Every structure is written in C-alpha cells, then in structure tokens.
Amino acid sequence: MLTNILDPDFTSCAGIDVLVCVPFGPKADQVIQILKSLKCRPYLAVSPEDALRKLRFNAFQVILITSGYSSEVSKDLMEKPMSSRRHFFYIYVDSEAETGNPFQAFALSANLVLNMNELDILKERLEPALMDYNKLYRVYYNVSKTQEEQSH
C-alpha cells in the first residue's frame, strides 16, 4: 500500500487515499466516481468537523476541497507547516477558478485548482499533476529522510 506520494515507487493514483470535502449531492457523487475510476480510495467527510477529525488521525495523500465547504478546514490546511504540507496534494475547487491556473493555486496554497463546472477534467489531470509533484519534491524528501536517519 502506498503511504506517501513522494515515494520513488509512485507510478499511478491507484491506492491513494483522498479526503473529499464536498457537500453531499451530485458534485460529491461525481468526484467520488472519478476517483474510484482512477482506483483511488475516496473518503467523503460528512461535515467540516469530520474533515478536521479525519485530517488529525489519518494520512491522506490527496485532499480535495470545494470553496465554501469550511473556512476552518481551509485554514487548517493553509496553516500546516511545509514539512507536513509536502506529504499531501491539495486540490481546491471553485466555480470562479480557472482550471490548472498555477497563479491561483499558489495564491490559495493549493497544488491544483479546478473550476467546479469542469470536474470531469480531474480524471485527466490528477495523475499527471501527482507525478509532477512527485518529481519536484522527491529529491527534497529523500535528502530530509537521509538526514533524519543520520541524526539517529
């Protein structure tokens, strides 16, 4: 089982745990179906409190949240130190977002932004985006891991 998206053996979305913070309804169902088609393991947070609880006690490789879901959950994600942020991929979905816009993603401390009306594109974008993320941060992760091992 894959526990880290920075793992050198990471090659696909299959088996990754995704926390889905989308209000119940057709959009949540759509996201879950897309993730399942990619062989991900989606976990729908039933409330903002449930999302915060799941974040405290589970290590999700991907977190997908829609605008307006919960400012408390968004704040919790944005305030995490980079040392822990690098271990999950944050997707922000908003009806005003320009899908794939790196400047919007940066401003929102997200790794990927999607327009709510273009959720279907998640199927095409998630795996390549995760592979790029893995390439970018894997070197940092490996160096950090080596330094930790040497200090013990």
Side-chain angles (χ1 to χ4, degrees):
M1 178 176 78
L2 183 69
T3 59
N4 190 328
I5 59 173
L6 299 178
D7 190 300
D9 296 326
F10 179 80
T11 57
S12 77
C13 292
I16 64 171
D17 294 331
V18 182
L19 178 62
V20 179
C21 300
V22 179
F24 285 118
K27 295 292 184 187
D29 295 340
Q30 181 183 8
V31 168
I32 288 173
Q33 286 308 110
I34 291 168
L35 293 170
K36 285 182 176 180
S37 75
L38 292 168
K39 298 189 179 2
C40 297
R41 296 188 308 218
Y43 295 85
L44 182 63
V46 296
S47 67
E49 295 78 20
D50 184 45
L52 290 168
R53 188 174 27 262
K54 282 178 165 56
L55 285 168
R56 277 189 206 101
F57 298 110
N58 300 283
F60 292 97
Q61 289 85 36
V62 175
I63 300 166
L64 184 145
I65 187 168
T66 56
S67 64
Y69 178 79
S70 165
S71 59
E72 190 176 351
V73 175
S74 295
K75 183 178 180 227
D76 184 70
L77 293 174
M78 291 172 88
E79 290 180 349
K80 289 192 181 296
M82 281 311 291
S83 58
S84 62
R85 276 292 314 275
R86 286 185 186 96
H87 295 276
F88 66 86
F89 190 85
Y90 174 39
I91 302 169
Y92 184 78
V93 182
D94 183 89
S95 60
E96 301 294 318
E98 181 184 332
T99 295
N101 184 315
F103 301 108
Q104 285 181 341
F106 180 77
L108 294 163
S109 295
N111 301 104
L112 178 65
V113 293
L114 295 175
N115 185 288
M116 182 71 80
N117 299 315
E118 298 175 336
L119 278 175
D120 285 339
I121 206 163
L122 178 63
K123 187 170 185 169
E124 300 163 16
R125 293 276 180 106
L126 182 58
E127 198 163 84
L130 286 172
M131 295 303 293
D132 288 345
Y133 188 80
N134 179 287
K135 287 178 199 168
L136 178 65
Y137 284 111
R138 187 181 332 145
V139 172
Y140 173 82
Y141 173 73
N142 289 341
V143 168
S144 297
K145 193 173 174 183
T146 301
Q147 288 177 339
E148 277 181 26
E149 290 169 358
Q150 291 175 349
S151 67
H152 292 288

